Amino acid sequence: MTGPVPRARKSRRVLGATLAAATAAILVACGPTTYEIPIETPIQPKLDLSAFQRVLIAGFVAGGTSDVDTNQETVRLLRSQLRSKSSLRVIDADVLALLEVAQDQNKGAADPPADTTKGDSAAPAPRAAQAGDRTPTALPQQIKEEKDLEPYERLFANTAYWKQIGEEYQNPLIVTGTVLFTSHSRSGFVSRDVEQFDSLGRRRVVPVRTYMERTGFILRPKFIFIDGRTGATMYSESYREEVLYNASQTTPALSSYFELMDRLVPNFLSALSTQKIRGTRVLLK
Amino acid sequence: MKWSITAGLVGALVFPTAPLLADGRADAAAQVAFGIEVARRGLWREAIYRWERAVQIDPAYAEAYNDLGVAYEHEGQLEKARKAYEKAIELDPKNPQIRQNYDLFKEINDRASAASKEKP
């Protein structure tokens, strides 16, 4: 029984083992051919801010729900974001009540000039009034929807007013605009995943369409960037974000406001400072 | 015997550069592998140097162009990244990983170009 047959078997085993070892060695030497790697892509700011060292978040023409003081909250949030995420120095100043400023300017423009020698330098007249238009559109006292904001756009075009604000704060970059934060409700079919177990106790998730009444909020800010040296608008951008909850869920307006602003803040910051976008890519051998 | 001599001569005439090409690809592959090692340690500039060398040695090396695209993207050189990815796709149009990298890059690049167009 110790003839040539077992020897042949043995040599086959040795050969097999050698081949397996060689294959393993080749695989280890070659290693994987793909590598997932995290990257951070820097995106340059939308605005050239080389002329500015300081920024004034002046205030906003705000409207919508009365549960949140949108002007104050927006100013506070943007200031704190800029302090931590931008190289610009943030000016601490009282928040401008732009709704009142706009109404004063409108009133001033509508009134006939009693004495031209007594110019009101505190609130320069809007451009329309300067151009000779003595009947500017009345400004709505309360801002409830988007169209109520339109007449207030004149305020942002009033370069004399913004130049004056700029002079007051040594020519910073001025950030202002409008913010509309409104509640809304929507009913309809919503698809949601429901967990089900069959007769054998096996779990499965099934999409089910159900009719739901939902309530929530819409946030529509428009950020306007003004050159404090000239009072002219450099750039503006508008956004719209909304959130909906089950009608039974009671979410405070302020927390919804912050939830929606959280989504917008990166876009706002990308106008002023370099942003890094994180992602993963695959490197190949 | 005659056949083997003939085959050898034909081979030498038709593929005179085959060993050189094989050496070139091996050298380029070594540059790519080293580039990956250093990129994984965060040394992206060195990685770019290696991958640029790799595509100089072997201009048909799709993977090296893909890696260059990733590195340029990481460095914020978006135009160079776009060209590198597009070259990689041109060389290996069916590679799903290159395509995936390019799609992800395009999302960012579109945002950045939209931003630059909006610049006053």
Side-chain angles (χ1 to χ4, degrees):
Chain A
M1 291 297 281
T2 55
V5 177
R7 196 178 292 162
R9 260 191 212 153
K10 197 177 167 187
S11 65
R12 269 206 301 274
R13 266 190 217 139
V14 170
L15 183 68
T18 314
L19 275 174
T23 312
I26 289 165
L27 283 175
V28 168
C30 292
T33 53
T34 64
Y35 297 86
E36 200 168 273
I37 194 158
I39 65 163
E40 284 188 346
T41 310
I43 303 288
Q44 294 307 307
K46 293 172 193 168
L47 289 171
D48 176 12
L49 299 177
S50 50
F52 303 99
Q53 280 85 47
R54 303 177 328 130
V55 58
L56 172 71
I57 312 289
F60 293 86
V61 174
T65 176
S66 56
D67 296 341
V68 177
D69 185 343
T70 323
N71 183 21
Q72 290 282 346
E73 295 299 344
T74 306
V75 169
R76 201 162 25 208
L77 179 69
L78 297 185
R79 282 181 184 174
S80 82
Q81 288 290 322
L82 284 175
R83 274 193 195 103
S84 58
K85 290 171 185 158
S86 139
S87 56
L88 290 165
R89 258 191 58 211
V90 180
I91 298 170
D92 257 323
D94 289 340
V95 178
L96 294 175
L98 290 180
L99 213 65
E100 289 165 25
V101 171
Q103 278 164 1
D104 285 349
Q105 285 185 8
N106 203 48
K107 211 173 140 195
D111 289 343
D115 183 356
T116 49
T117 56
K118 289 180 189 171
D120 182 4
S121 63
R127 193 182 287 169
Q130 286 169 345
D133 179 2
R134 295 283 167 217
T135 55
T137 322
L139 296 173
Q141 294 296 308
Q142 277 194 327
I143 295 165
K144 290 186 175 170
E145 50 191 47
E146 228 167 349
K147 70 174 171 57
D148 295 337
L149 283 169
E150 281 168 23
Y152 285 91
E153 289 291 331
R154 273 175 294 175
L155 171 66
F156 306 113
N158 185 352
T159 51
Y161 172 72
W162 292 109
K163 192 177 174 191
Q164 184 193 315
I165 297 284
E167 279 166 5
E168 204 174 312
Y169 294 98
Q170 289 91 48
N171 305 327
L173 169 73
I174 300 170
V175 179
T176 180
T178 59
V179 185
L180 188 62
F181 182 58
T182 49
S183 58
H184 82 133
S185 55
R186 191 185 292 167
S187 309
F189 284 95
V190 178
S191 182
R192 62 195 178 97
D193 290 339
V194 175
E195 200 178 42
Q196 287 183 349
F197 293 91
D198 64 12
S199 55
L200 297 169
R202 286 176 300 201
R203 177 185 168 275
R204 63 190 185 129
V205 177
V206 183
V208 174
R209 280 172 63 78
T210 45
Y211 184 83
M212 278 175 77
E213 282 188 8
R214 296 185 299 164
T215 60
F217 293 92
I218 301 176
L219 181 65
R220 294 189 195 91
K222 179 180 182 183
F223 301 118
I224 300 173
F225 300 86
I226 292 174
D227 186 336
R229 299 166 300 178
T230 61
T233 297
M234 296 168 70
Y235 173 66
S236 71
E237 55 188 12
S238 303
Y239 297 100
R240 184 189 186 280
E241 286 287 343
E242 72 170 76
V243 63
L244 284 166
Y245 312 100
N246 288 345
S248 57
Q249 197 177 334
T250 49
T251 307
L254 189 60
S255 57
S256 292
Y257 165 81
F258 281 113
E259 186 182 339
L260 295 172
M261 275 304 276
D262 259 2
R263 297 183 201 167
L264 297 170
V265 161
N267 290 316
F268 168 77
L269 290 173
S270 70
L272 303 176
S273 54
T274 301
Q275 296 297 297
K276 285 196 170 178
I277 300 176
R278 287 185 186 155
T280 54
R281 300 288 183 272
V282 179
L283 294 177
L284 304 171
K285 254 190 185 174
Chain B
M1 186 66 180
K2 261 185 186 175
W3 272 111
S4 60
I5 292 166
T6 314
L9 281 170
V10 169
L13 286 169
V14 176
F15 307 109
T17 54
L20 285 175
L21 281 176
D23 280 355
R25 174 47 77 109
D27 193 10
Q31 297 287 346
V32 166
F34 189 78
I36 290 173
E37 281 306 308
V38 291
R40 291 171 78 194
R41 287 168 171 77
L43 304 169
W44 287 93
R45 296 267 168 87
E46 178 64 21
I48 287 175
Y49 173 75
R50 296 291 164 179
W51 293 329
E52 280 176 347
R53 285 278 302 126
V55 298
Q56 273 172 8
I57 297 164
D58 183 358
Y61 200 160
E63 289 83 355
Y65 277 109
N66 168 78
D67 298 349
L68 261 178
V70 174
Y72 286 141
E73 200 184 339
H74 184 273
E75 293 295 295
Q77 300 178 42
L78 302 186
E79 189 51 33
K80 279 185 166 183
R82 186 184 61 75
K83 283 182 184 163
Y85 280 132
E86 284 174 358
K87 183 73 183 173
I89 288 175
E90 184 192 316
L91 292 167
D92 189 359
K94 287 181 183 167
N95 189 317
Q97 283 149 332
I98 297 176
R99 182 67 67 176
Q100 184 193 324
N101 279 344
Y102 183 57
D103 288 344
L104 291 168
F105 159 76
K106 267 196 343 194
E107 272 179 39
I108 290 176
N109 193 42
D110 290 350
R111 270 176 65 177
S113 348
S116 63
K117 272 180 201 159
E118 285 167 11
K119 271 188 185 179

